[in-house]
Amino acid sequence: MEFRGALHLERTAVGLRPWRLPAWTAAQAPGDALRRVAMMPSGVRLAFRTAATVLELALHAPPESPYPGAIELMLDGVRAGRAPLPAAGGPTVLRFDPGASDGGREVELWLPQWTSVELVALRADAPVHPPRPTGRLRWLHHGSSISQAPEADSAADVWPWIAAGRAGVDLLNLSLAGNAHLDPFTARTIRDQPADLISLKIGINVITAASFRLRTFVPAVHGFLDTVREGHPDTPLLVVSPLFCPPFERTPGPAGYEPTADGRRFTALGDPADTAAGALTLEVVRAELAAITAARAATDPHLHHLDGLALLGREDADGLGDLLHPNPAGHRRIGERFAALAFGPGGPFAATVATS
């Protein structure tokens, strides 16, 4: 078997918990927020080859997760079943019936994108073998909760995976909800990972947490890109600016919340007048990212920029469920547009994919 999409396997008292960051990164961030999202296995798959007609996955889920999610069964890359996790959490055994096959099939069990799980055992009624290499290019994407996506229907319906499926590439999703802050440990992780294509979606967490002002944001972006380039000097590298988000377009963060009839929506708590002193808004961040990538591209021909408004703009506000996070329809729209703009003809990833 193989854990695809995980960078660390933690052995717990009951089983194995996959992480999407190396274990050492947790010690370099304050509090537990990074640890929690790194343990959420968005895009992590248990991959193997088998002729089994019955599969059982024993696992332990945390109690009362707001997004318990489900385990998705993929057979030879095609969705073939789904088993929801219990809302109350705790130990459970999920059963899948792949059906008979001649000579076995490539199987992937996709873990939920928003709930950490401890895997206890995999049982099958036929031998389980290591999976065959996919032969696909590896696309590494880093972003925020918008790319990790509790609101998507499943891990396979998160917008980067929609784009990856259309482009025929393998994705390593290093999106960290609430924790895309240009952290040096994240840059070093990306630097040290094999990747044929890299995209960095920068900006929304910087504003919602008010973690930078203009003076510190610009050199932090340069430093992040410098570190990534240490390990990937010629890899196509795409900087993606923020999507449309009404509260923060012209008002700085930090973020607050307003209750609504069906949940909550985001609101900006900053003062628009503070932008003159360096507070960041989405309009400021988009302009700065465009300027930074344009200046660096003069000596880095493999560096590219994509305006996030081309993925989800003002006219697409119906794709936002809480004024910040895309709803399922929004994820489909973003994924399809990213596939066309990044992987399609003339896109920054098109030449690499075409020659693979």
Side-chain angles (χ1 to χ4, degrees), residues 61-304:
E64 300 177 355
S65 170
Y67 299 96
I71 305 294
E72 296 272 353
L73 171 67
M74 300 280 189
L75 298 177
D76 294 326
V78 178
R79 296 190 195 200
R82 174 187 294 187
L85 295 177
T92 188
V93 177
L94 304 178
R95 178 185 168 114
F96 300 90
D97 299 290
S101 64
D102 295 328
R105 287 174 293 198
E106 296 295 323
V107 179
E108 288 187 337
L109 293 174
W110 286 51
L111 305 183
Q113 72 268 31
W114 202 254
T115 301
S116 65
V117 292
E118 296 168 86
L119 304 178
V120 180
L122 175 68
R123 295 186 282 268
D125 64 350
V128 171
H129 306 286
R132 292 173 179 167
T134 67
R136 296 178 174 179
L137 295 178
R138 193 187 206 204
W139 168 32
L140 189 159
H141 175 72
H142 171 57
S144 65
S145 58
I146 293 171
S147 302
Q148 185 177 334
E151 299 82 6
D153 291 332
S154 76
D157 296 302
V158 174
W159 77 258
W161 272 111
I162 293 173
R166 288 180 172 264
V169 298
D170 278 337
L171 172 66
L172 175 62
N173 191 354
L174 296 188
S175 298
L176 303 167
N179 283 271
H181 291 285
L182 300 169
D183 291 310
F185 54 77
T186 303
R188 293 196 298 274
T189 298
I190 297 170
R191 177 195 66 189
D192 296 340
Q193 281 297 307
D196 301 292
L197 309 160
I198 300 172
S199 56
L200 307 173
K201 188 173 174 299
I202 299 170
I204 188 63
N205 286 165
V206 164
I207 293 173
T208 58
S211 54
F212 284 93
R213 293 176 77 86
L214 184 60
R215 167 62 182 83
T216 52
F217 175 70
V218 171
V221 173
H222 280 290
F224 200 94
L225 294 174
D226 286 344
T227 299
V228 171
R229 276 297 187 225
E230 289 173 3
H232 302 279
D234 301 315
T235 302
L237 175 56
L238 177 61
V239 173
V240 185
S241 66
L243 311 178
F244 178 66
C245 182
F248 304 103
E249 288 295 322
R250 296 183 176 179
T251 303
Y257 309 100
E258 295 176 342
T260 64
D262 56 354
R264 66 181 187 180
R265 65 181 183 182
F266 280 80
T267 184
L269 301 180
D271 182 355
D274 198 23
T275 57
L280 297 177
T281 67
L282 289 180
E283 290 186 351
V284 171
V285 164
R286 289 193 196 99
E288 292 299 325
L289 290 175
I292 290 168
T293 51
R296 293 178 66 104
T299 55
D300 184 351
H302 302 291
L303 178 66
H304 308 274

Side-chain angles (χ1 to χ4, degrees), residues 151-153 157 162 319 321 325-334:
E151 299 82 6
D153 291 332
D157 296 302
I162 293 173
H325 296 99
N327 56 31
H331 275 282
R332 289 191 292 274
R333 194 176 305 169
I334 297 165

